[in-house]
């Protein structure tokens, strides 16, 4: 965070990688995720006389060359923009504070944002904007000590749900906490505490990892739909498969701690294979499947970072294998880069709010 003498507050929230266990977070499962330092969203809050949400010159475009230009933009990007996200978290934050007896002073502000997280890559670009904005609001109203760290991902998710974004808690947890986080969303714990059981792990447990993404991917927001309904309907195949996906996170935690790279690679591949069996190739999309297969063709382990659009890769044979993969990605037209993992973001005030359960 940066604050200048004029009271301007700025926060960043980073993209995230669902490393193991996703998408079982939406199904009372377990996941391991980490904060991706390669991409981020930033939000700036400046005290002002009137409350205003400033549109981004690119992402909130409202001026077009022509009607076909407008239509083309909507077809490629949808009704995308950060203004709606900022407005939604303001509402959710206000209502939460009101419902919980948290006093907010009468000051006003201007909110603006920027982001370099690639669109539709399953790297949680929308929630990064919301997360950064929430951090700004916590500091502007000086209520960071009154809203538990564990609760903040719920507020971010509620803001996104208001806008029809389909998602689970894991992304928001990774973005609030930073670092490498093991998450357990079992129903009994969720019902009792209103959030999952979140455990920070040492980021140095992770081996070198790589990111592959497509610059023109399919939308990552529609992938959960049919599987969710089948799960709710009690379909045995979906329930047992999702339970196995959740178990992958549990086994993956042990593999990371034990530095069992062979096991880790196997779990990553199994995670994707189970997703593919449940969702089917039509839902996953040809480009998304090709990214996984490009990695596997050089013997690397790979899986989606989220719902599609980007892939996290582990090269157990080291740099020479990574170079083969980089060349294969260039041939296939995919972006390839080493992953930078961010350490946890929580400060002393945040840590004091955390549950001791």
């Amino acid at each position: 965070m940066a604050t200048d003498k004029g009271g301007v507050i700025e926060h960043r929230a980073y993209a995230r990688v669902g490393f193991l266990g996703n998408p079982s977070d939406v199904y009372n499962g377990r996941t391991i995720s980490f904060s991706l330092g390669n991409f981020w969203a930033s939000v700036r809050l400046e005290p002002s006389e009137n409350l205003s949400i400033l549109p981004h010159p690119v992402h909130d475009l409202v001026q077009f060359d022509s009607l076909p230009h407008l239509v083309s933009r909507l077809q490629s990007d949808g009704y995308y923009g950060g203004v709606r996200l900022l407005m939604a978290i303001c509402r959710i934050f206000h209502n939460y504070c009101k419902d919980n007896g948290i006093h907010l002073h009468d000051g006003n502000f201007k909110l603006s944002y920027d982001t370099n997280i690639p669109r539709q890559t399953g790297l949680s670009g929308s929630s990064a904007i919301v997360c950064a904005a929430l951090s700004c609001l916590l500091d502007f109203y000086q209520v960071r000590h009154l809203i538990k760290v564990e609760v903040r991902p719920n507020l971010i998710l509620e803001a996104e749900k208001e806008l029809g974004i389909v998602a689970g808690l894991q992304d928001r947890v990774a973005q609030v906490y930073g670092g490498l986080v093991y998450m357990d969303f079992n129903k009994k714990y969720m019902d009792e505490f209103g959030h999952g059981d979140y455990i920070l792990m040492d980021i140095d447990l992770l081996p070198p990892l790589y990111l592959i993404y497509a610059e023109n991917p399919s939308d990552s927001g529609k992938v959960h739909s049919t599987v969710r309904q089948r799960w709710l309907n009690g379909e045995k195949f979906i329930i047992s498969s999702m339970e196995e996906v959740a178990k992958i996170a549990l086994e993956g935690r042990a593999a990371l701690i034990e530095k069992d790279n062979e096991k880790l690679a196997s779990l990553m591949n199994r995670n994707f294979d189970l997703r593919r069996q449940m969702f089917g190739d039509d839902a996953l999309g040809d480009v998304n499947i090709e990214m996984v297969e490009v990695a596997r063709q050089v013997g690397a382990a790979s899986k989606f970072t989220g719902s599609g659009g980007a892939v996290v890769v582990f090269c157990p044979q080291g740099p020479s294998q990574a170079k083969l993969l980089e060349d294969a990605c260039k041939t296939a037209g995919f972006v390839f880069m080493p992953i930078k993992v961010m350490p946890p973001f929580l400060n002393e005030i945040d840590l004091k709010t955390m549950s001791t359960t």
Side-chain angles (χ1 to χ4, degrees):
M1 182 191 81
T3 306
D4 66 19
K5 290 180 181 179
V8 174
I9 298 166
E10 288 191 67
H11 276 283
R12 273 187 183 183
Y14 289 83
R16 73 87 196 89
V17 168
F19 186 52
L20 291 171
N22 56 313
S24 78
D25 59 311
V26 193
Y27 305 89
N28 301 122
R30 307 177 197 89
T31 62
I32 298 175
S33 299
F34 61 80
S35 188
L36 177 65
N38 305 66
F39 302 110
W40 61 86
S42 60
V43 173
R44 174 185 169 96
L45 184 153
E46 182 178 350
S48 66
E49 186 176 342
N50 299 307
L51 198 157
S52 57
I53 312 289
L54 305 182
H56 190 280
V58 174
H59 303 305
D60 296 289
L61 194 62
V62 291
Q63 183 172 322
F64 303 90
D65 296 336
S66 63
L67 186 58
H69 180 210
L70 182 152
V71 173
S72 174
R73 173 64 178 243
L74 291 180
Q75 285 173 338
S76 63
D77 288 357
Y79 296 92
Y80 180 74
V83 165
R84 61 183 187 140
L85 297 166
L86 298 179
M87 292 175 74
I89 190 58
C90 285
R91 178 171 186 254
I92 293 296
F93 171 78
H94 169 270
N95 290 350
Y96 178 85
C97 291
K98 183 179 178 182
D99 292 345
N100 289 275
I102 298 172
H103 173 72
L104 301 179
H105 63 70
D106 293 331
N108 282 329
F109 53 83
K110 288 190 292 189
L111 271 186
S112 58
Y113 78 98
D114 199 3
T115 180
N116 64 6
I117 301 174
R119 289 256 306 122
Q120 296 182 350
T121 49
L123 294 173
S124 294
S126 293
S127 57
I129 295 170
V130 181
C131 182
L134 176 59
S135 281
C136 288
L137 294 171
L138 292 173
D139 290 336
F140 178 71
Y141 288 104
Q142 299 181 333
V143 295
R144 182 173 289 273
H145 63 296
L146 298 176
I147 300 181
K148 288 169 56 177
V149 168
E150 293 97 332
V151 169
R152 296 175 199 170
N154 295 30
L155 301 182
I156 295 166
L157 184 59
E158 283 179 43
E160 292 182 276
K161 281 184 173 177
E162 288 227 330
L163 303 171
I165 295 171
V166 178
L169 276 166
Q170 87 156 332
D171 305 359
R172 290 94 204 141
V173 174
Q175 289 170 323
V176 166
Y177 281 66
L180 177 67
V181 193
Y182 172 80
M183 313 170 202
D184 189 331
F185 300 98
N186 77 81
K187 192 173 187 305
K188 183 181 178 185
Y189 193 99
M190 294 278 289
D191 288 347
E192 183 174 352
F193 297 104
H195 54 75
D197 185 14
Y198 311 136
I199 301 169
L200 279 165
M201 299 176 66
D202 185 349
I203 62 172
D204 290 335
L205 293 172
L206 287 169
L209 299 169
Y210 302 89
L211 185 74
I212 300 172
Y213 68 92
E215 291 192 282
N216 297 297
S218 58
D219 191 351
S220 68
K222 301 182 179 71
V223 179
H224 291 310
S225 55
T226 58
V227 169
R228 178 73 180 170
Q229 192 56 53
R230 290 159 68 192
W231 184 78
L232 290 169
N233 292 344
E235 186 177 319
K236 288 182 180 179
F237 167 69
I238 295 297
I239 289 173
S240 64
S241 298
M242 204 60 77
E243 285 173 351
E244 187 178 345
V245 171
K247 189 181 177 186
I248 283 171
L250 188 65
E251 294 179 3
R253 185 184 178 197
L256 285 169
I257 292 168
E258 294 162 11
K259 298 286 186 181
D260 188 343
N261 286 345
E262 187 178 339
K263 177 72 170 177
L264 192 64
S266 172
L267 290 170
M268 288 177 67
N269 285 330
R270 181 64 179 153
N271 201 148
F272 175 77
D273 293 343
L274 285 165
R275 176 190 278 273
R276 188 173 186 176
Q277 289 167 20
M278 287 188 285
F279 288 88
D281 287 5
D282 287 345
L284 267 55
D286 293 342
V287 173
N288 289 326
I289 292 169
E290 187 185 352
M291 283 190 287
V292 170
E293 291 182 342
V294 162
R296 290 191 177 184
Q297 282 164 9
V298 301
S302 58
K303 61 175 292 297
F304 288 173
T305 60
S307 299
V311 168
V312 55
V313 181
F314 172 39
C315 294
Q317 296 166 26
S320 59
Q321 189 176 37
K323 182 65 173 71
L324 285 175
L325 178 56
E326 183 177 9
D327 293 342
C329 285
K330 280 181 183 174
T331 301
F334 297 134
V335 181
F336 171 89
M337 64 178 63
I339 279 175
K340 179 183 179 183
V341 183
M342 296 300 291
F345 309 134
L346 305 179
N347 61 29
E348 286 185 24
I349 297 171
D350 297 325
L351 293 170
K352 285 177 182 176
T353 74
M354 290 175 69
S355 300
T356 55
T357 52

